[in-house]
Amino acid sequence: MRSIIVTVQGKPRKAAIAAWIGSALEYYDFFIYGTAAALVFSKIFFPSSSPATGTLLALATFGVGYLARPVGAFVLGHVGDKFGRKKVLVSTLVMMGASTFLVGCLPTYDQVGVLAPVLLVVLRLLQGFSVSGEQAGANSMTLEHAPENRRAFFTSFTLNGTQAGQIIATAIFLPIAALPEDQLLTWGWRVPFWLSIGVAAVGLVIRRTLEETPAFEQEVATNNVARMPLAVLFREQWRDVLRVVVAAVIASVSTIFTVHALSYAVNTMHLERGPMLWVGVLANVAAVITIPLWGRLSDRIGRKPVFIGGSLGCAVLMFAYLWSISTGGYALIFVVGILMFGVVHSATSGVWPAFYGEMFTTRVRLSGMAIGTQIGFAIAGFAPTVATALAGTGPDSWLGVSIITAVLCLVNVAAVATARETYRVPTEQLGLKEPVRV
């Protein structure tokens, strides 16, 4: 890993590091909600429901955050393409930090009744609105600073930071989950949410030091900034937006792994919370290492073969992972979980930040990426809820969930296969109908 980091130099290095740190901090906030939804929210916000219904409702509040993401993508995409990438990256951290802190301050169902889950949903919607512009903004910032022959490597640090955020979020919950049940359900679960204030403050300082990208500054200098980026996007590149929407459904692998599998292991198979949280930590540690390596490989052989290989691998390995949970064998769970999410799924994560961004011109890049990914991610966000509703919550439900996940992976493969290969297209020609390859 050290040899990877030291090769990043100059402004591309600063952009990549800022994207990594900002994404890690932003997604710490976003993922602690998912862990809490899987472990405690059914008991403190939906206690009047049956255990199975309470779990389903808690997972649904996790998915609700994805509903706000397409709305936020339209708003923040417009801001980023008209006023600059930096404005988006600063505003998203402020919104995320505030909404996450307030989740930790919420009263429970026993204290205020139905108002508690209502307030929870409102704050989750604000989280979703905020995160909608994070990855698209960070990816656009990094891609437009990167050397042409290393765009995937540099942009992979955005997703690398996302995985680091998952590590931090899960690691914070490890000692919390070990608390006695009464302490966990009264004050313990709140601590990770309260820590978001410090997270937001650090991230804000980092993001404010970023310089705007040369590509966007060139658009401003030549008076080529679109007055209505969304109108230009849907007039000229609506097919690429649709392609990104479908391709982004690959995020279902992440939501099934981090939310549904955790809930299935703890609430259905009655496995220990601690070891299952450690599976997520170690898988994400592996992902932090492998994501830049996959990005570097795609800079050499192309985006599509790496992306498609990762998607097909996930389709197969999800069967093995959920089955391993059904057996209760911790050693097998760790091996398969790390292999699937930490290595194979990282092939998609290492490629899509560059691949999606390279489909669009500078004028509409942030809008195109934000809208396309966030609609696709909204579908993926409800994957745990839909999978639980269709496959049930029993011990044998792993097979149905695995089949659903495999189908979504194949949908991703079909979308990626129809896209243009862009790894050799010069940056200034990205998104054009007939670019000249080098």
Side-chain angles (χ1 to χ4, degrees), residues 86-121:
K86 181 176 177 178
K87 292 184 183 299
V88 170
L89 294 179
V90 171
S91 62
T92 55
L93 273 176
V94 174
M95 286 188 288
M96 179 62 80
S99 58
T100 304
F101 175 80
L102 290 175
V103 169
C105 299
L106 286 178
T108 65
Y109 185 92
D110 289 340
Q111 293 172 317
V112 297
V114 72
L115 179 62
V118 169
L119 292 174
L120 179 68
V121 169

Side-chain angles (χ1 to χ4, degrees), residues 196-360:
S196 65
I197 285 296
V199 169
V202 173
L204 186 61
V205 171
I206 295 169
R207 288 278 169 91
R208 286 176 65 89
T209 64
L210 285 174
E211 297 180 18
E212 193 52 79
T213 71
F216 184 80
E217 290 180 339
Q218 178 65 21
E219 294 287 307
V220 174
T222 58
N223 198 30
N224 197 37
V225 176
R227 294 183 59 186
M228 297 294 293
L230 297 181
V232 176
L233 176 68
F234 286 105
R235 182 177 66 247
E236 299 179 358
Q237 295 197 252
W238 64 269
R239 291 179 181 84
D240 293 308
V241 174
L242 181 59
R243 185 174 287 108
V244 172
V245 169
V246 179
V249 173
I250 193 62
S252 299
V253 174
S254 177
T255 57
I256 292 292
F257 177 84
T258 57
V259 181
H260 174 84
L262 179 60
S263 178
Y264 172 65
V266 174
N267 298 324
T268 300
M269 301 309 300
H270 306 294
L271 301 180
E272 295 294 326
R273 284 191 298 258
M276 292 309 302
L277 288 173
W278 269 109
V279 174
V281 171
L282 295 179
N284 280 291
V285 169
V288 167
I289 298 171
T290 58
I291 283 175
L293 298 178
W294 288 119
R296 173 175 284 181
L297 179 63
S298 80
D299 281 329
R300 294 180 179 178
I301 69 172
R303 315 299 189 220
K304 294 170 65 172
V306 177
F307 204 148
I308 290 174
S311 298
L312 292 176
C314 289
V316 174
L317 286 173
M318 185 60 77
F319 285 89
Y321 180 59
L322 294 181
W323 170 78
S324 70
I325 293 176
S326 74
T327 69
Y330 286 111
L332 185 61
I333 292 171
F334 272 78
V335 170
V336 180
I338 293 170
L339 175 63
M340 183 195 71
F341 195 76
V343 180
V344 177
H345 181 260
S346 294
T348 68
S349 299
V351 173
W352 78 250
F355 190 44
Y356 297 166
E358 289 169 348
M359 294 183 189
F360 302 99

